[in-house]
């Protein structure tokens, strides 16, 4: 029996990753329009494009190449962005997953810097390493996107280099052009240390939320 790229619900303390469906469209349309200036190097659907975007992601999921999720902020109960595990690479026996990439990620401007991205990555990474047993996990971004590269490095990934003319550019106005992609990875041997670092960052985000709400810290 071959490997199947499933999409279980993954829930943390800040965010719940729900399998992407059309019921998320209204929230995502609002999230995508908060500040379009935050998406300089990342393609994010406009409100009018969200329905087609979900259709395209579900078609990729049906082909077994993508596990798309909506990022649901637990405090508000609203979908504030999307992410995915994709491009599964199998061991030669075809039954076990060797590697996976995390990508197709975007967040509403109001959700950025609030710990949502960190915990979403943690949930996807943990599922990949501890449930699927991958040997490595990949992330990539436009080599010019300093903000995205810094965020990837903060979650513990290591840069392996820049692949020139590697993939279609997602920057507005660059349709039909190729971009240089910065490739990052985390290996199974590095995961325990990466996991500990992510858990510390998530704990700090929770503390900041409690402080902002005036709630006492847990004992």
């Amino acid at each position: 029996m071959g490997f199947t790229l499933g999409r279980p619900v993954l829930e943390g303390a800040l965010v719940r990753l729900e399998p992407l469906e059309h019921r998320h469209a209204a929230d995502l349309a609002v999230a995508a329009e908060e500040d379009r200036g935050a998406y300089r190097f990342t393609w994010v659907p406009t409100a009018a494009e969200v329905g087609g975007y979900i259709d395209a992601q579900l078609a990729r999921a049906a082909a077994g190449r993508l596990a798309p999720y909506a990022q649901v902020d637990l405090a508000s109960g609203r979908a504030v962005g999307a992410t995915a595990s994709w491009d599964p690479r199998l061991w030669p026996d075809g039954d076990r997953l060797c590697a996976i990439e995390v990508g197709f990620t975007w967040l509403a401007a109001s959700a950025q810097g609030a710990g949502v991205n960190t915990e979403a990555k943690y949930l996807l990474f943990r599922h990949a390493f501890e449930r699927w047993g991958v040997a490595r996990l990949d992330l990539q971004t436009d080599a010019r996107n300093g903000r995205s590269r810094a965020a990837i490095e903060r979650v513990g990934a290591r840069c392996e280099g820049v692949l020139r003319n590697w993939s279609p550019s997602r920057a507005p106005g660059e349709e039909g052009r190729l971009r240089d992609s910065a490739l990052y990875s985390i290996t199974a041997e590095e995961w325990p240390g990466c996991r500990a670092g992510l858990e510390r960052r998530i704990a700090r985000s929770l503390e900041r939320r409690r402080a902002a709400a005036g709630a006492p810290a847990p004992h």
Side-chain angles (χ1 to χ4, degrees), residues 42 47 145 155 175 179:
T42 302
N145 193 342
V155 298
E175 294 77 9
R179 75 177 194 190

Side-chain angles (χ1 to χ4, degrees), residues 53-71:
Y53 162 79
I54 294 175
D55 284 338
Q57 294 295 74
L58 294 180
R60 295 183 179 105
R65 302 299 300 170
L66 183 84
Y69 284 96
Q71 300 192 60

